[in-house]
């Protein structure tokens, strides 16, 4: 019962923070609400007894990625951020709602086509995957293993950081 109450609290925090993140007009507030979303997801990992994933969520995403966003925001000149004010028009809201409904209908059709609701209802105990298998899949370099994509992503993020610094330095010189 306590797990259900904690899950409901975390779900409300995550959903509320996510909505506030995408609806606020202040970029620093959006980054702060994103931080709350990431902490809430880490809380769900801890609730499920996935302590490693919870710790990784806090250290990598809540700590590292959010700090990178904040540094990127601070690198942008204040003149660029001062004049930003976006007015949402009615047709944009209607278009967004229409696209959301189309996406939701697509997901429901795929669920019914593949009979996923029936499979979930009849699903029995899922066998537990050993931690050694997960570690081998994450750190292996063979087929269906993920060390090379992780390395490519790290090089890509480094290039993005260097590019952001170069753009910010060119703007200051003008």
């Amino acid at each position: 019962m306590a797990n259900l109450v904690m899950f409901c609290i975390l779900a409300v925090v995550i959903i509320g923070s996510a909505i506030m993140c995408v609806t606020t007009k202040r970029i620093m507030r959006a980054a702060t609400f994103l931080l709350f979303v990431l902490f809430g997801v880490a809380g769900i990992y801890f609730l499920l007894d996935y302590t490693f994933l919870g710790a990784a969520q806090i250290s990598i995403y809540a700590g590292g990625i959010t700090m990178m966003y904040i540094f990127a925001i601070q690198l942008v000149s204040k003149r660029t951020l001062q004049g930003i004010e976006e007015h949402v028009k009615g047709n944009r809201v209607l278009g967004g709602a229409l696209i959301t409904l189309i996406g939701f209908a697509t997901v429901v059709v795929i669920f019914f086509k593949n009979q996923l609701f029936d499979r979930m209802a009849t699903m029995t105990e899922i066998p537990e995957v050993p931690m050694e298998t997960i570690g081998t899949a994450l750190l292996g370099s063979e087929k269906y293993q993920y060390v090379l994509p992780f390395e490519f992503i790290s090089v890509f993020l480094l290039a993005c950081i260097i590019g952001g610094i170069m753009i910010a330095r060119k703007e200051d010189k003008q």
Side-chain angles (χ1 to χ4, degrees):
M1 182 67 181
N3 284 341
L4 181 62
V5 171
M6 280 304 299
F7 175 78
C8 290
I9 291 171
L10 287 171
V12 168
V13 167
I14 290 170
I15 291 172
S17 297
I19 290 171
M20 291 301 295
C21 180
V22 297
T23 57
T24 186
K25 292 182 181 180
R26 308 252 178 192
I27 194 162
M28 288 301 287
R29 287 184 187 166
T32 304
F33 286 125
L34 176 66
L35 182 66
F36 289 137
V37 170
L38 296 173
F39 275 130
V41 172
I44 289 180
Y45 285 145
F46 285 123
L47 192 63
L48 293 171
D49 287 333
Y50 293 141
T51 54
F52 175 74
L53 286 178
Q57 176 78 17
I58 289 174
S59 65
I60 295 171
Y61 291 107
I65 301 298
T66 306
M67 288 302 114
M68 187 175 68
Y69 285 158
I70 290 173
F71 286 141
I73 291 167
Q74 296 298 328
L75 281 174
V76 175
S77 70
K78 296 198 184 334
R79 287 179 282 127
T80 306
L81 292 177
Q82 284 175 351
I84 295 178
E85 185 173 323
E86 186 174 323
H87 299 286
V88 179
K89 297 180 181 174
N91 59 357
R92 291 184 75 188
V93 171
L94 184 62
L98 183 65
I99 290 172
T100 302
L101 288 175
I102 290 171
F104 181 72
T106 304
V107 168
V108 168
V109 165
I110 289 172
F111 269 30
F112 281 125
K113 181 182 175 212
N114 293 327
Q115 300 164 344
L116 291 176
F117 290 121
D118 296 335
R119 289 183 193 168
M120 286 190 300
T122 61
M123 193 180 332
T124 59
E125 186 72 26
I126 299 172
E128 188 171 327
V129 179
M131 190 59 72
E132 183 178 337
T133 306
I134 295 172
T136 303
L138 287 176
L139 298 175
S141 61
E142 297 175 11
K143 189 174 184 180
Y144 302 120
Q145 294 178 345
Y146 296 103
V147 76
L148 290 176
F150 282 155
E151 291 299 324
F152 286 132
I153 289 171
S154 66
V155 171
F156 176 72
L157 286 174
L158 178 65
C160 289
I161 291 171
I162 292 172
I165 291 171
M166 294 304 293
I167 289 172
R169 292 188 81 200
K170 285 181 183 176
E171 227 176 70
D172 287 341
K173 290 179 182 177
Q174 293 176 354

